[in-house]
Amino acid sequence: MAITTLGYWDIRGLAHAIRLLLEYTDTSYEEKRYTMGDAPDYDQSEWLSEKFKLDLDFPNEKLKLEYLQGLPEKLKLLAQFLGKRPWFAGDKITFVDFVAYDVIERNQVFEPRCLDAFPTLKEFLARFEGLEKISAYMKSSRFLPRPVFTKMAMWGNK
């Protein structure tokens, strides 16, 4: 059996859950940790010198296209599940609505017109953003709408 290689930046980041899973399942693995340079350039040459030699889909334009092609069906399922209810779990807001808001809004950032065919999801976003405390937070200096991802990401940082 081949040993799994986990390649990631030399930070906890998104690989933390994967490391925990590998340890929990007693999976043999080796780690390749990449170091990013300091500001202002954030040199990524350590990663970029290997990235295109790994036989992976890079850059992810093909994956982006596939994702966008499947997005309407996923949004349709969310819209159907929400139905005429104001919140995903019924008449009262729950933690599920906070997660749903983040997922739906992030997709709207990724593809601004993705909700055009789903008025109930647009209304959900507006209802959530219209909550008094959420609205006040979004108007405050503490609100962080961007960047969505780290400096390395190709979208969501403007």
Side-chain angles (χ1 to χ4, degrees), residues 30-50:
E30 58 186 41
E31 251 189 288
K32 171 62 177 161
R33 294 186 179 178
Y34 299 95
T35 301
M36 184 182 297
D38 295 325
D41 298 326
Y42 301 103
D43 177 40
Q44 299 174 40
S45 61
E46 190 174 303
W47 162 240
L48 293 175
S49 67
E50 294 184 21

Side-chain angles (χ1 to χ4, degrees), residues 4-157:
T4 300
T5 301
L6 173 61
Y8 197 71
W9 298 106
D10 56 354
I11 62 172
R12 175 179 170 160
L14 298 173
H16 182 64
I18 297 168
R19 289 184 188 106
L20 292 172
L21 180 63
L22 291 169
E23 292 291 334
Y24 182 77
T25 58
D26 291 322
T27 301
S28 295
Y29 72 101
E30 58 186 41
E31 251 189 288
K32 171 62 177 161
R33 294 186 179 178
Y34 299 95
T35 301
M36 184 182 297
D38 295 325
D41 298 326
Y42 301 103
D43 177 40
Q44 299 174 40
S45 61
E46 190 174 303
W47 162 240
L48 293 175
S49 67
E50 294 184 21
K51 177 179 179 177
F52 295 101
K53 299 174 188 172
L54 295 175
D55 195 30
L56 300 172
D57 284 332
F58 289 109
N60 292 328
E61 289 304 311
K62 175 183 166 193
L63 297 177
K64 177 182 176 182
L65 180 60
E66 289 174 14
Y67 181 83
L68 289 175
Q69 287 172 342
L71 185 57
E73 188 59 31
K74 289 176 177 58
L75 293 173
K76 178 181 176 185
L77 292 173
L78 284 173
Q80 287 174 341
F81 185 83
L82 179 62
K84 296 184 185 299
R85 295 183 309 234
W87 307 110
F88 275 87
D91 293 331
K92 295 183 180 178
I93 193 168
T94 67
F95 78 94
V96 172
D97 298 297
F98 290 81
V99 176
Y101 172 83
D102 188 49
V103 168
I104 295 166
E105 194 272 341
R106 191 176 328 130
N107 275 293
Q108 190 176 37
V109 169
F110 189 56
E111 175 50 61
R113 296 182 314 270
C114 73
L115 298 180
D116 288 354
F118 305 101
T120 58
L121 295 180
K122 282 184 173 182
E123 292 164 6
F124 168 78
L125 292 184
R127 184 168 35 260
F128 187 90
E129 292 171 357
L131 293 168
E132 184 178 343
K133 291 181 181 180
I134 298 299
S135 177
Y137 169 67
M138 290 181 158
K139 292 174 186 169
S140 77
S141 62
R142 297 183 321 279
F143 181 55
L144 186 63
R146 307 288 181 277
V148 175
F149 298 111
T150 63
K151 294 177 175 109
M152 301 176 313
M154 301 303 286
W155 72 274
N157 294 326

